[in-house]
Amino acid sequence: MVQQHRIYILQFRKGEQEQEVSCKVSPPRGGGRRVMYYYHDYGGGGKNGRPVQPRAFSMRRFFGLLLLAFVSVGTLFVAPVSFLSFVHSDDGGTAAAAQRARAAAACSGMGNDSLCCDRTSTRADICFARGDLRMHSASASFQLVSGNSTAVGKVEEEERIRPYTRKWEANVMATIDEVRLRRVSAGDAARCDVVHDVPAVLFSTGGYTGNVYHEFNDGILPLFVTSYHFRRRVVFVILEYHDWWMTKYGDVVSRLSAFPPIDFTADRRVHCFPEVIAGLRIHDELTVDPEKTPEGKSIRHFRMLLDDAYRGRVQYLERLERRAARKRRGGKAKSTAIAMPLAPPKHTSLDRPRLVIVSRTGSRVIENEADVAALAVDVGFDVHVIRPERTTELCKIYRELNASDAMVGVHGAAMTHFLFMRPGKVFIQVVPLGTDWAAGAYYGEPAARLGLRYVGYKILPEESSLSREYPTGDPVLTDPAGVAQRGWDVTKKVYLDRQNVRLDLARFREELVKAHQYLVAGRRRRRPRGSQ
């Protein structure tokens, strides 16, 4: 019998992700979406199973190697930087490579007809299966049909996973459906109703879905990290499927997958795949780490994907607005825009940056918001106020912030929309009492990684509405960190649910002036000389 050997070839790319190095080892289908490839080496036997005799080192081989050497040396002298970056995989150094190697160890060496789960992350588990995979929603499972005829009677191999990215929160994870990935014999396998020639990615839109921060942090960004390298040649299988979620994020999802998503619970057909990834990779708060993605993709690449996702819809909205403007000429019409300009100048100057205030209702409201807006106009901004609601089309918020130069808002989930701003712009987050760490970790640091100029405006006790509820010197005002040690429930009740802010206009003016100067200076640097 001829023995076949698989030889794995690592393609040099920046920031190979764990599952790519360890699990993506099947032959590429359609456009090189694998980081690792293999070919069959018949070194154990020649044609018809006969052994291959070693051949002498011929002159032809000698001259071939000599030519290769000349080409390599020429490349080194002509473009030494690009040559060396190829050799060293431009991966940011030995430490980064070692980190990826350690992360890859959990499922390294995985081949066809195999199942492996990486449970090393504190944030999320992720499982990989390759071979003949069959979605069987009736039993909440994916069946890996064993290609080995002797597998009958073998102890069943099974992995269980709740495909959501908040593994450390037991309470919310208990609400996520569990899915089994199990090996079955061919005789026990369900018959295929729909056959796909692309992989499937299984994830949940349950948990904290409904909060825009969690929708991006726990769902959309991990989905980008896990699936972008497939170049849309992937099918999404969704647990806890919601029609409203697809309506809200359909533009973005369609840039990651060219196929309709599958509702795992409601679709009782047996969908068959060559590969299944159950769960999503998550890197950090609202970010993408290029050192952990197959192709070195970063949060800026995600930002460019948003541009692609919303471009068509934005153009359509602009056409509707132009059409509506033509119809209402000479008459009055009710505006449906979410943005309301406050005292814009008659002639907008190139040096008058656009500032958007993201308004809140309920808690953490800016009580003197109108005064803050007027102050920004006085400083030199063209000011717009937006009041996003659950029913507000996401594309409209994207359009407003994508066109802005600065964004102002109080710490809360709506600050997630900084992702819609262009790198180089200014994000000013008002930080109420008791929210310092969360404001920085969840929004401030991610915004800086996106390339925004981040300003955390930490209010003083007298700028908080709590100063009207508690006497001067009370720990709620003077020691929020100590109060937070009483538990999350106390922090939420006191600092998140019951606190508004009234900004000190003199203090806040200083931040607005610095932001304006920064933006105007940047515009002048980019302006062509002839236009000055």
Side-chain angles (χ1 to χ4, degrees):
M1 181 178 178
V2 178
Q3 183 178 5
Q4 297 181 356
H5 303 278
R6 286 179 177 174
I7 297 181
Y8 295 87
I9 303 172
L10 175 62
Q11 183 182 25
F12 288 96
R13 287 182 181 172
K14 185 169 74 173
E16 296 97 320
Q17 194 182 18
E18 296 91 332
Q19 70 266 31
E20 285 298 317
V21 174
S22 59
C23 298
K24 302 287 191 260
V25 294
S26 58
R29 292 174 182 261
R33 57 180 170 79
R34 305 285 191 229
V35 172
M36 297 189 74
Y37 305 85
Y38 76 80
Y39 63 90
H40 285 102
D41 174 27
Y42 295 90
K47 274 189 177 183
N48 302 320
R50 290 193 295 270
V52 177
Q53 299 298 326
R55 292 188 294 177
F57 188 76
S58 65
M59 291 298 294
R60 187 176 180 179
R61 288 189 177 186
F62 172 77
F63 283 114
L65 289 175
L66 187 61
L67 177 61
L68 178 62
F70 278 122
V71 171
S72 300
V73 171
T75 304
L76 179 59
F77 280 103
V78 174
V81 175
S82 61
F83 177 81
L84 291 175
S85 66
F86 171 79
V87 172
H88 293 289
S89 185
D90 65 321
D91 60 2
T94 305
Q99 179 183 1
R100 289 195 298 275
R102 288 193 297 271
C107 289
S108 60
M110 181 178 174
N112 199 34
D113 190 28
S114 57
L115 171 62
C116 177
C117 289
D118 181 353
R119 305 187 189 276
T120 59
S121 171
T122 58
R123 287 177 172 263
D125 293 336
I126 187 166
C127 293
F128 308 92
R130 183 171 295 114
D132 182 355
L133 276 303
R134 306 187 184 188
M135 186 187 97
H136 193 247
S137 57
S139 61
S141 68
F142 279 89
Q143 299 174 347
L144 174 59
V145 184
S146 179
N148 185 353
S149 60
T150 63
V152 179
K154 176 183 174 181
V155 176
E156 186 178 78
E157 180 182 5
E158 179 177 288
E159 296 283 357
R160 299 184 177 224
I161 186 171
R162 299 180 189 272
Y164 190 61
T165 55
R166 299 191 78 81
K167 174 181 172 180
W168 71 96
E169 292 195 46
N171 290 338
V172 72
M173 291 301 292
T175 68
I176 305 300
D177 291 344
E178 185 178 68
V179 175
R180 298 183 297 161
L181 292 92
R182 59 194 186 96
R183 184 183 296 278
V184 299
S185 64
D188 295 329
R191 291 185 59 184
C192 296
D193 296 317
V194 184
V195 178
H196 304 266
D197 63 354
V198 298
V201 171
L202 171 74
F203 64 97
S204 171
T205 54
Y208 293 128
T209 299
N211 175 294
V212 68
Y213 164 79
H214 289 287
E215 287 167 8
F216 273 93
N217 187 72
D218 305 344
I220 296 296
L221 276 163
L223 190 61
F224 171 83
V225 168
T226 307
S227 66
Y228 181 77
H229 60 282
F230 287 120
R231 299 291 189 272
R232 301 180 70 225
R233 299 287 299 168
V234 62
V235 174
F236 294 146
V237 181
I238 304 178
L239 281 175
E240 288 90 35
Y241 182 97
H242 303 288
D243 287 330
W244 68 261
W245 186 89
M246 277 305 304
T247 300
K248 184 174 184 179
Y249 292 105
D251 291 327
V252 179
V253 171
S254 68
R255 300 305 303 169
L256 294 172
S257 171
F259 305 94
I262 296 172
D263 182 341
F264 180 82
T265 303
D267 193 335
R268 292 294 171 143
R269 294 174 297 174
V270 177
H271 291 264
C272 297
F273 301 93
E275 181 180 345
V276 170
I277 300 174
L280 301 175
R281 292 286 189 193
I282 181 171
H283 292 164
D284 206 340
E285 307 301 330
L286 292 177
T287 197
V288 177
D289 185 349
E291 292 294 341
K292 298 177 181 178
T293 58
E295 299 167 335
K297 300 302 180 183
S298 68
I299 187 64
R300 294 200 184 194
H301 292 95
F302 175 76
R303 179 64 182 71
M304 288 188 285
L305 180 132
L306 293 180
D307 288 340
D308 292 338
Y310 290 121
R311 184 176 294 110
R313 179 63 178 165
V314 167
Q315 293 171 350
Y316 174 73
L317 291 174
E318 290 173 348
R319 287 197 299 271
L320 289 181
E321 290 176 0
R322 287 194 295 268
R323 190 180 307 163
R326 288 194 296 268
K327 288 183 178 180
R328 65 172 178 258
R329 283 174 186 165
K332 294 183 179 180
K334 184 177 180 181
S335 173
T336 58
I338 63 169
M340 295 168 289
L342 293 174
K346 293 181 180 179
H347 302 287
T348 301
S349 166
L350 287 175
D351 290 340
R352 196 167 185 91
R354 178 188 181 99
L355 180 143
V356 172
I357 297 175
V358 181
S359 182
R360 288 183 60 92
T361 58
S363 65
R364 283 163 281 155
V365 171
I366 301 177
E367 295 177 337
N368 56 342
E369 185 178 274
D371 294 333
V372 172
L375 172 65
V377 170
D378 185 61
V379 168
F381 286 100
D382 176 16
V383 179
H384 291 232
V385 177
I386 64 173
R387 298 181 175 89
E389 299 178 355
R390 283 183 178 271
T391 57
T392 302
E393 184 180 353
L394 205 59
C395 179
K396 293 182 178 180
I397 304 173
Y398 161 84
R399 178 189 177 193
E400 195 68 30
L401 289 172
N402 182 59
S404 72
D405 297 291
M407 167 180 162
V408 172
V410 182
H411 169 69
M415 295 301 94
T416 305
H417 296 128
F418 78 77
L419 291 168
F420 297 166
M421 299 184 71
R422 289 165 291 157
K425 304 307 180 181
V426 177
F427 170 35
I428 302 175
Q429 180 179 206
V430 176
V431 183
L433 297 181
T435 65
D436 296 25
W437 179 85
Y442 295 153
Y443 306 110
E445 294 170 15
R449 285 193 286 267
L450 179 60
L452 300 178
R453 184 181 179 95
Y454 171 68
V455 178
Y457 179 82
K458 183 178 178 181
I459 70 168
L460 300 176
E462 53 267 30
E463 294 175 273
S464 171
S465 63
L466 297 175
S467 65
R468 302 193 293 270
E469 295 186 37
Y470 295 88
T472 302
D474 189 282
V476 166
L477 303 176
T478 62
D479 186 22
V483 173
Q485 293 179 359
R486 303 178 193 172
W488 165 249
D489 291 341
V490 174
T491 297
K492 183 177 185 301
K493 180 179 178 180
V494 174
Y495 295 114
L496 299 183
D497 296 344
R498 289 169 45 195
Q499 181 176 198
N500 291 331
V501 299
R502 178 173 290 275
L503 301 185
D504 182 321
L505 297 182
R507 283 188 71 222
F508 197 65
R509 182 186 183 91
E510 296 177 6
E511 299 300 341
L512 290 178
V513 168
K514 287 188 286 188
H516 185 272
Q517 292 173 343
Y518 167 79
L519 291 166
V520 170
R523 287 187 175 192
R524 287 174 176 166
R525 284 194 300 270
R526 293 189 297 271
R527 191 180 305 167
R529 291 185 179 181
S531 64
Q532 295 183 10

